[in-house]
């Protein structure tokens, strides 16, 4: 009975946090619609949403704002889900796809597809997924040569990323200027010029991956407590872990393919969600909602701060996220904890 | 032992001369050795049909060779003193985010202050490099258990990522800035001129003298701050002067040829394998061997995809990253 009481208590706070995050999402969306680019009034937006209003209002809402907002939220959720699974399985806040080379590999793959083969959206997605898997494979393969756990994986990730960065810079320096600008914006992670096509792509994958991942949430928390604990309560550790990794990779890959590698969402969202909910194990749903809020807030800041220029959202998340990572590291180290 | 080191250093200097010669002699266009020697004589006039060859040697190959010497020396020495100061085998101007700091400052200066020449933005490169190094150093060394190689590398990755975002933001705001930025960020010796090499060269010379003079105090520091203090070394002063040397060397090299990674990492390791940990020998070796590697990387880049070129920065990354990975794989690694 007591255990059940605790569970209910945790759930109350989590539910409250999730509700708060949803309210925040709606608020940022409204703010974006009313104060960025071709602004709409609140009344105009509501009318246009109901099929009324002027042609211009309907166009701005359904073709410009909505796809961008929906895509931003989905991409943020996907990055955060992938990051939460990776961090949970590695029991390390740094075990996110940003750090272990997956994201840089996906960038190289997509760049090669854009600049060398002139690929369209499907080709870019395929290139990103192939590149990400290849880089992650190399990092894990090298790490498994020597063991040494997460620290070695992270350091190998830094080395592989630095080399791929040189390759990316080289590819960009050789492309035609317009293609290079587009590629560089993509590399930073951007929602500019995205439409319902990309939304459909992400929805198609997340509809499958999201619910399955959420249904694994409990087992993920048990795994985070340790393999023995999980095995003790009947979790088939090896099989569950493999499935979780594949699902997480799919989520991050499809988000990368749609919007580019938006920096640091995978790393920061699960950590922020953990602090909001005050729960020790990572929780997937709050993480996903936090990721959505972070991307939409970053995109709003990128459009609003530098208007009329349309900066990629990744610029904002990269600058803020890099600072956040530095703060996180210094905090953990000051406590003398091992991060 | 000493005579072995002396002979090794002489061989390294000979190798440097050979690399410089190769850099003058080899390129997209084959030019006869006699013509190259004629072109190098100041005041010599081209014979019939030699005008183009003279121009290539004097305006293209000489400047890029001098740039390679200056920037290579700077990055090699910077890597050497950095590894000594942080007692960290993973220290490198690229890995620790220092080049990213210089790059961000340079791009900001180009975009918002309209600074166009290397003599102008070299000061911003110093400022950016100093700021980045300060932040990474304090971030990586605070806390109870002090600095560890892993922490510094991670702090460098975090700060570098944030700075890269700033650089990208500025570069993407304006197409013409972006166009110049993308050619510079690869790290190329081509396209520079002797003025660039000269203005960077003075700073590199000053930084190099300072770095080489720090060999003995850095040796003491290698024993740990407490032991160094007991031996009568000025720990605080040594650290400060080393930081100044690193800033000047990295800033000047980055302003001159762009952010070249891994050169400052790989060369000190190769040198240490030969001369051992004595900084008084190690640092001169770094200063001589790094330009050899950079010049050879540049020549290789010129030859492998003829008539195109691969930038020296790409070639050093492709050579240097495996060295970094090998170190990571060989070392025993504790917790972060």
């Amino acid at each position: 009975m007591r255990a059940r009481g605790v569970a209910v208590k945790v759930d109350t706070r989590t539910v409250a946090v999730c509700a708060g995050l949803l309210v925040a999402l709606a608020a940022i969306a409204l703010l974006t619609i009313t104060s960025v680019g071709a602004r709409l009034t609140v009344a105009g937006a509501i009318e246009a949403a109901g099929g009324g209003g002027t042609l211009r209002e309907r166009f701005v809402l359904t073709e410009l704002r909505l796809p961008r907002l929906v895509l931003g939220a989905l991409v943020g959720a996907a990055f955060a889900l992938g990051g939460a699974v990776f961090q949970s399985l590695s029991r390390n806040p740094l075990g996110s796809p940003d750090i272990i080379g997956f994201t840089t590999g996906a960038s190289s793959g997509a760049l090669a597809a854009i600049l060398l083969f002139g690929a369209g959206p499907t080709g870019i997605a395929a290139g990103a997924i192939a590149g990400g898997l290849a880089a992650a494979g190399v990092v894990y393969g090298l790490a498994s040569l020597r063991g040494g756990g997460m620290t070695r994986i992270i350091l190998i990730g830094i080395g592989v990323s630095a080399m791929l960065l040189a390759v990316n810079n080289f590819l960009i320096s050789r492309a035609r200027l317009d293609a290079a600008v587009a590629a560089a914006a993509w590399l930073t992670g951007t929602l500019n010029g995205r439409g319902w096509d990309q939304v459909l792509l992400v929805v198609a994958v997340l509809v499958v991956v999201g619910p399955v991942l959420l249904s694994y949430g409990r087992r993920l928390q048990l795994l985070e407590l340790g393999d023995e604990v999980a095995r003790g309560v009947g979790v088939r550790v090896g099989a569950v872990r493999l499935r979780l990794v594949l699902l997480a990779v799919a989520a991050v890959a499809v988000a990368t393919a749609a919007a580019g590698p938006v920096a640091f969402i995978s790393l920061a969202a699960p950590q922020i969600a953990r602090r909001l909910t005050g729960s020790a194990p990572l929780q997937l749903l709050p993480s996903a909602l936090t990721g959505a809020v972070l991307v939409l807030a970053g995109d709003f800041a990128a459009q609003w701060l530098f208007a009329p220029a349309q900066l990629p959202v990744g610029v904002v998340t990269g600058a803020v996220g890099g600072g956040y990572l530095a703060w996180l590291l210094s905090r953990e180290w000051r406590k003398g904890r091992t991060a | 032992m000493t005579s072995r080191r002396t002979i090794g250093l002489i061989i390294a200097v000979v190798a440097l001369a050979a690399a410089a010669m190769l850099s003058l002699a080899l390129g997209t266009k084959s030019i006869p050795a006699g013509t190259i020697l004629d072109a190098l004589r100041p005041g010599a006039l081209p014979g019939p049909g030699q005008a183009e060859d003279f121009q290539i040697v004097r305006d293209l190959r000489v400047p890029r060779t001098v740039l390679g010497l200056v920037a290579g020396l700077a990055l090699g020495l910077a890597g050497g003193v950095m590894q000594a100061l942080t007692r960290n085998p993973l220290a490198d101007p690229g890995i620790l985010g220092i080049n990213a700091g210089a790059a961000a400052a340079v791009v900001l200066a180009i975009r918002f202050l309209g600074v166009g020449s290397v003599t102008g933005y070299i000061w911003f490169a110093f400022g950016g490099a100093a700021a980045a190094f300060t932040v990474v150093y304090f971030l990586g060394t605070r806390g109870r258990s002090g600095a560890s190689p892993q922490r510094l590398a991670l702090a460098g990755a975090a700060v570098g990522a944030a700075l890269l975002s700033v650089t990208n933001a500025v570069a993407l705001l304006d197409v013409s800035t972006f166009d110049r930025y993308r050619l510079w960020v690869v790290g190329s010796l081509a396209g520079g001129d002797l003025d660039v090499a000269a203005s960077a060269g003075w700073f590199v010379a000053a930084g190099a003298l300072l770095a080489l003079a720090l060999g003995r105090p850095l040796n003491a520091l290698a024993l740990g701050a407490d032991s160094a203090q007991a031996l009568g070394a000025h720990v605080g002063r040594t650290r400060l002067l080393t930081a100044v040397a690193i800033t000047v060397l990295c800033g000047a090299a980055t302003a001159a040829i762009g952010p070249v990674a891994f050169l400052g990492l790989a060369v000190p390791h190769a040198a240490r394998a030969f001369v051992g940990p004595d900084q008084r020998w190690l640092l001169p070796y770094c200063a001589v061997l790094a330009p050899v590697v950079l010049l050879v990387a540049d020549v290789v880049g010129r030859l492998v995809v003829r008539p195109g070129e691969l930038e020296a920065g790409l070639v050093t990354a492709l050579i240097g990253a495996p060295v970094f990975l090998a170190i990571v794989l060989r070392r025993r690694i504790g917790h972060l």
Side-chain angles (χ1 to χ4, degrees), chain B residues 90-112:
Chain B
L90 301 178
D92 166 81
I95 298 286
L96 293 197
I98 297 163
N99 289 347
V106 166
V107 172
L108 284 170
I110 292 177
R111 176 71 177 80
F112 291 112

Side-chain angles (χ1 to χ4, degrees), chain B residues 64 67 183-184 186-192 256-258 260 298 309 311-313:
Chain B
R64 78 190 287 174
L67 260 184
L183 298 178
W184 172 77
V186 197
S188 171
L189 298 181
I257 65 167
V260 169
D298 187 44
E309 285 192 8
E311 279 79 359

Side-chain angles (χ1 to χ4, degrees), chain A residues 198-253:
Chain A
Q198 279 84 14
V199 174
L200 280 180
L201 173 74
V202 181
V203 167
V205 174
L206 276 195
V207 157
V208 182
V209 169
V212 181
L213 264 185
L214 290 178
S215 77
Y216 273 96
R218 184 91 200 124
R219 276 169 278 183
L220 190 62
Q221 290 181 5
L222 288 169
L223 277 175
E224 203 180 335
L225 294 175
D227 289 358
E228 289 76 21
V229 178
R231 218 172 267 125
V233 292
V235 177
R236 287 166 50 224
V237 173
V240 169
R241 182 178 287 144
L242 181 66
R243 260 174 257 163
L244 279 168
V245 167
L246 288 179
L247 290 167
V249 165
V252 174

Side-chain angles (χ1 to χ4, degrees), chain A residues 40-311:
Chain A
L40 299 179
T41 59
V42 177
I46 293 171
E47 241 179 86
T54 65
L55 194 63
R56 174 186 157 278
E57 282 170 344
R58 279 206 303 276
F59 175 78
V60 169
L61 188 71
T62 58
E63 292 305 315
L64 299 181
R65 294 291 165 267
L66 278 185
R68 186 173 184 131
L69 288 168
V70 174
L71 184 67
L74 289 175
V75 162
F79 276 124
L81 277 177
V85 172
F86 276 117
Q87 293 181 22
S88 199
L89 287 179
S90 61
R91 297 179 200 114
N92 189 323
L94 296 172
S96 88
D98 291 327
I99 305 278
I100 58 171
F102 180 87
T103 323
T104 328
S107 317
S108 297
L111 262 191
I114 297 173
L115 299 176
L116 300 182
F117 305 107
T122 329
I124 296 174
I129 293 169
L133 286 178
V138 167
V139 171
Y140 275 104
L142 284 175
S144 65
L145 287 179
R146 274 300 302 269
M150 207 52 211
T151 309
R152 204 186 295 274
I153 291 179
I154 292 166
L155 288 173
I156 292 173
I158 290 177
V160 170
S161 296
M163 180 158 70
L164 289 173
L165 190 66
V167 174
N168 290 354
N169 284 337
F170 169 75
L171 286 174
I172 285 183
S173 77
R174 287 310 155 84
R176 282 203 333 273
L177 185 56
D178 55 339
V181 171
W186 187 90
L187 264 189
T188 324
T190 182
L191 300 171
N192 292 346
R194 301 295 189 274
W196 290 112
D197 291 349
Q198 279 84 14
V199 174
L200 280 180
L201 173 74
V202 181
V203 167
V205 174
L206 276 195
V207 157
V208 182
V209 169
V212 181
L213 264 185
L214 290 178
S215 77
Y216 273 96
R218 184 91 200 124
R219 276 169 278 183
L220 190 62
Q221 290 181 5
L222 288 169
L223 277 175
E224 203 180 335
L225 294 175
D227 289 358
E228 289 76 21
V229 178
R231 218 172 267 125
V233 292
V235 177
R236 287 166 50 224
V237 173
V240 169
R241 182 178 287 144
L242 181 66
R243 260 174 257 163
L244 279 168
V245 167
L246 288 179
L247 290 167
V249 165
V252 174
V254 75
T256 309
V262 183
F264 286 118
I265 301 296
S266 298
L267 175 89
Q271 293 298 318
I272 294 174
R274 162 183 274 167
R275 287 181 170 81
L276 287 177
T277 55
S279 84
L282 289 175
Q283 299 204 50
L284 290 178
L285 192 60
S287 298
L289 289 172
T290 308
V293 169
L294 287 180
V295 170
L296 285 194
D299 195 38
F300 171 73
Q303 293 182 79
W304 187 73
L305 287 176
F306 300 95
Q310 294 260 308
L311 270 191

Side-chain angles (χ1 to χ4, degrees), chain B residues 149-302:
Chain B
Q150 295 87 329
R151 282 186 188 186
L152 271 173
L154 259 177
V159 171
L163 288 168
L164 187 67
S165 284
V166 173
T167 311
N168 273 336
V170 177
L172 285 170
L173 276 175
D174 177 61
V175 173
S176 70
T177 310
F178 174 77
D179 196 21
R180 272 194 284 166
Y181 165 72
R182 67 174 177 147
L183 298 178
W184 172 77
V185 76
V186 197
S188 171
L189 298 181
D193 54 37
L194 279 176
D195 293 344
V196 173
S199 53
W202 289 112
F203 292 104
V204 170
L209 286 177
L210 180 57
L212 290 172
L214 286 166
R216 184 188 288 272
L218 282 175
N219 272 343
L221 216 57
L223 303 169
D226 295 341
S227 315
Q229 201 101 50
L231 287 172
H234 300 272
V235 173
R237 198 176 69 189
T238 305
R239 283 188 175 147
L240 182 69
L241 288 176
T242 311
V244 170
I246 291 170
T247 303
V248 170
L249 291 170
C250 293
T254 305
I257 65 167
V260 169
F262 287 121
L263 188 64
L265 177 90
V267 170
H269 277 283
R272 202 175 292 118
F274 183 72
V275 293
D278 185 348
Q279 300 295 334
R280 289 169 305 172
W281 282 98
L282 185 57
L283 294 177
Y285 268 86
C286 292
V288 179
L289 287 178
V292 176
V293 176
L294 187 58
L295 285 175
V296 170
D298 187 44
V299 172
V300 168
R302 273 183 245 172

Side-chain angles (χ1 to χ4, degrees), chain B residues 2-202:
Chain B
T2 305
S3 67
R4 176 169 163 263
R5 285 166 169 171
T6 315
I7 293 167
L9 197 56
I10 292 170
I11 294 174
V13 172
V14 172
L16 181 58
M21 236 109 78
L22 281 180
S23 170
L24 290 171
L26 299 176
T28 310
K29 187 168 190 291
S30 306
I31 301 175
T35 315
I36 292 173
L37 288 176
D38 287 343
L40 288 177
R41 276 212 316 273
L45 292 173
Q50 288 185 324
E52 197 196 335
D53 289 352
F54 265 52
Q55 205 185 356
I56 289 176
V57 172
R58 285 179 176 172
D59 294 351
L60 298 177
R61 292 197 189 162
V62 170
R64 78 190 287 174
T65 306
V66 176
L67 260 184
L69 289 171
V70 169
L73 184 146
L75 288 170
L77 263 182
V81 289
M82 199 180 282
Q83 290 178 12
L85 173 70
T86 59
R87 300 164 71 196
N88 181 346
L90 301 178
D92 166 81
I95 298 286
L96 293 197
I98 297 163
N99 289 347
V106 166
V107 172
L108 284 170
I110 292 177
R111 176 71 177 80
F112 291 112
L113 302 175
V115 180
S117 69
V118 174
T119 32
Y121 59 62
I122 198 165
W123 295 102
F124 293 93
F126 292 147
F133 183 66
T134 310
V135 172
V136 170
Y137 187 74
F138 280 104
L139 210 57
T141 52
R142 69 188 295 182
R144 273 185 214 149
S145 48
S148 77
Q150 295 87 329
R151 282 186 188 186
L152 271 173
L154 259 177
V159 171
L163 288 168
L164 187 67
S165 284
V166 173
T167 311
N168 273 336
V170 177
L172 285 170
L173 276 175
D174 177 61
V175 173
S176 70
T177 310
F178 174 77
D179 196 21
R180 272 194 284 166
Y181 165 72
R182 67 174 177 147
L183 298 178
W184 172 77
V185 76
V186 197
S188 171
L189 298 181
D193 54 37
L194 279 176
D195 293 344
V196 173
S199 53
W202 289 112

